[in-house]
Amino acid sequence: MLGSGIINGLIVTAKNFVGSYHDPKRMVTVQYPEERAKLPENYRNFPFLITENATDPMGTLRCVACQICEKECPPQCIYIEKSKDKKPDATGKPQLYPAVFAIDTSVCMSCQICVEVCPFDAIKMDQVFEVAATDRFTGLLLDREQLAKPNSYFHEIHPTDAAEVDTRLATERQAAEEKAKAAAAAKAAAAAKAAAPKAAVKPAAEGGPTA
Amino acid sequence: MIIAAIDSYLEVAPLAWRDAVVQWCPEPTQWLVHHLITIVAILAVFGTLFAFTPLAERKLLGRLQNRLGPNRSGLPWWQNGPKLWGLTQPFADAVKALTKEDIVPAAADKLLHFLAPVLIVAFSLLTFAVLPFGRHLVPVGLDAALLYFFAAGSATELAIFMAGWASRNKYSLLAAMRALAQVISYELPLILSVVPIVLIAGTLSLQDIVLAQGFWTFGFLPHWFVFTPWGFAGFLLFLVSALAESNRSPFDLPEAESELIAGHLTEYSGFKYALFFMAEYFGLTALSGLGVTLFLGGWQAPCAFLQFIPSWLWFMGKVIGMLLLFIWIRGTLLRLRIDQLTRLAWQFMVPLTLINLGNAAFWSLTAGWTGPLQLVRWGVSLAIIVIPFVLLGRRLSAGRHPRTYRYAAS
């Protein structure tokens, strides 16, 4: 009959009205600044740089300033200057590091391509959404000090992803160590044979991703 | 005895206070002060009601949709003080509306653009003059109060069209035309749904209509018109028409924001916008008051023994109840399309109101029936309105149910 739908609708909203007072599960909103809804793990907005050690963020950046992300970035919001010198990375291998690493978040379109192309797992997507600034040139242009966040933070916001990255890095590091050992053994063997220059080139060429 | 004395004092207290002030004034100005006090009292009471209705609406809409609603605004200069459940929101809104920039479009008709919000508030306030707020509280006791009410009430549409025309904006103009189409469509069922009352009560005076409902069977069954078959049907038809007349959801087409931005309010900002907002709520309150007066017994108490509560409290309580009902409906129903709106008016509401008029005629002709004939009277009266309702409803929704979505992926 005409009107029965209206009555049903009125009953639904009346149930909502009564239920909202005694059933907290019904509530679809939270009181934002004090309470926060848990963000979904796959939520992303702007990139950040991962450091191995929170106490020395600039010394332990995973980034080696290879500039792949800078070239791939569709809106060209990343700016990198390579360092002149080399610093030892987490595995103790000397690597370049970014002397300047800046991301203009007013330009960034959160496409995650920088994360996809990074061979060092050095750049990941952040979940910080409170990015309001009073000046878009200084407030939204983030430098490497602002971008650097420890690996533990990455574990907090993207646990699955971070665990996967960590195990991969660990196995690669182990493989590299074994290879280095094997190379050292081979080198020793070669040295024993007194044919030294032949084996020394090989491990340096393949050590890349473990850095 | 004491209760009766207090009761009668409370009943006339507003009048007594007014007369005390009037007595204190010099003779030649007494008539002016007399009327000014009445006007100020209406403005104060319904202005306060207007201030808190939008807040109640926002909070209720929130609850109806499983949200909290506004609960932040506390006291100024006291950031971490008590929040007072957001009750100070109206004052913050008023300050905001007053301090906002008032922008008039360069191409607008300056005079009409200014006049429209003023007139709409004036017209919507005029309707309060004839409502009987209590046993002794009738600002203007007109004999043709009902006619006056509708005349003043529909004049607000003139102001809406004025706003749409003066804005020199296509959205405003379209919205104003829609508003006119809507109000002409619904003016008819609104008035026709009220005619049975006039037929039964035999008067156009609102106070006399309220007095005609002032009886109780066994002391607790009130003889309000809503408790008769024709009265109940008339009340529902009146409710729907009142929603449409006051441009409220689900009939808020003139300000359908997805199609017309803010309708005729598009080019209004600051306090002029607040005036339109105010007029909308005044109109809604006035129509609620009329509905209460005509169908819900006006200021009459629902039971004889509850008469010790002053009549104006009963009236205000019923009006607030009606407002809450309107908010509930707004929180539930979706907006109609313009063709659905006019279809509903001309193919459903108008025929039903006409049938209901015949129903009321039958009711008044059979007023002498007693005993078992009473049951026959109720049965026939119910049948007269329910059968056409079902048949018309079937015809109206024929081929439209269940709804198919042609362009949506199934």
Side-chain angles (χ1 to χ4, degrees), chain B residues 123-124 126-127 147-157 183 187 245:
Chain B
F123 282 136
S124 57
L126 280 179
T127 52
L147 274 182
Y148 168 87
F149 186 96
F150 285 124
S154 37
T156 55
E157 291 303 319
V183 79
E187 197 76 39
E245 277 297 288

Side-chain angles (χ1 to χ4, degrees), chain B residues 236-252:
Chain B
L236 291 185
L237 291 165
F238 177 85
L239 265 187
V240 176
S241 311
L243 277 175
E245 277 297 288
S246 49
N247 293 335
R248 269 185 75 81
S249 175
F251 304 110
D252 51 351

Side-chain angles (χ1 to χ4, degrees), chain B residues 49-199:
Chain B
L49 191 67
F50 155 69
F52 286 96
T53 314
L55 177 70
E57 176 154 19
R58 289 171 62 192
K59 285 184 96 78
L60 265 170
L61 283 180
R63 289 290 174 178
L64 292 170
Q65 298 160 357
N66 285 330
R67 294 183 288 110
L68 280 171
N71 59 356
R72 290 290 164 142
S73 57
L75 298 168
W77 302 295
W78 197 4
Q79 287 255 313
N80 299 316
K83 292 287 185 218
L84 305 172
W85 310 281
L87 278 179
T88 48
Q89 188 72 45
F91 305 104
D93 285 344
V95 170
K96 189 198 96 174
L98 279 170
T99 51
K100 264 179 111 170
E101 188 186 358
D102 175 30
I103 301 166
V104 181
D109 187 327
K110 300 281 186 307
L111 179 67
L112 289 186
H113 190 267
F114 167 77
L115 217 52
V118 177
L119 277 185
I120 196 167
V121 172
F123 282 136
S124 57
L125 274 174
L126 280 179
T127 52
F128 284 103
V130 290
L131 289 179
F133 299 108
R135 195 183 300 278
H136 309 291
L137 296 181
V138 192
V140 184
L142 283 182
D143 280 340
L146 202 56
L147 274 182
Y148 168 87
F149 186 96
F150 285 124
S154 37
T156 55
E157 291 303 319
L158 186 69
I160 287 185
F161 194 75
M162 203 187 261
W165 177 257
S167 294
R168 199 66 75 87
N169 175 322
K170 61 187 171 189
Y171 297 111
S172 300
L173 190 58
L174 277 174
M177 311 245 277
R178 268 192 187 185
L180 276 190
Q182 181 172 335
V183 79
I184 290 168
S185 298
Y186 278 88
E187 197 76 39
L188 200 58
L190 182 74
I191 294 174
L192 280 177
S193 69
V194 161
V195 172
I197 305 275
V198 181
L199 188 73

Side-chain angles (χ1 to χ4, degrees), chain A residues 1-2 6 9-10 13-14 16-17 20-21 26-29 31-34, chain B residues 60 63-68 71-72 328-329 331-333 348 389-390 393 396:
Chain A
M1 199 169 72
L2 187 77
I6 294 175
L10 287 172
T13 43
N16 282 350
F17 176 72
S20 68
Y21 279 100
R26 278 176 167 273
M27 298 314 246
V28 291
T29 54
Q31 305 213 48
Y32 161 61
E34 292 91 16
Chain B
L60 265 170
R63 289 290 174 178
L64 292 170
Q65 298 160 357
N66 285 330
R67 294 183 288 110
L68 280 171
N71 59 356
R72 290 290 164 142
W328 185 13
I329 290 171
T332 305
L333 297 182
F348 186 73
F389 172 78
V390 173
L396 195 74

Side-chain angles (χ1 to χ4, degrees), chain B residues 24 26 106 128 139 154 159 190 213 233 242 254 276 401:
Chain B
W24 184 71
F128 284 103
S154 37
L190 182 74
Q213 303 175 68
F276 275 106
H401 193 79

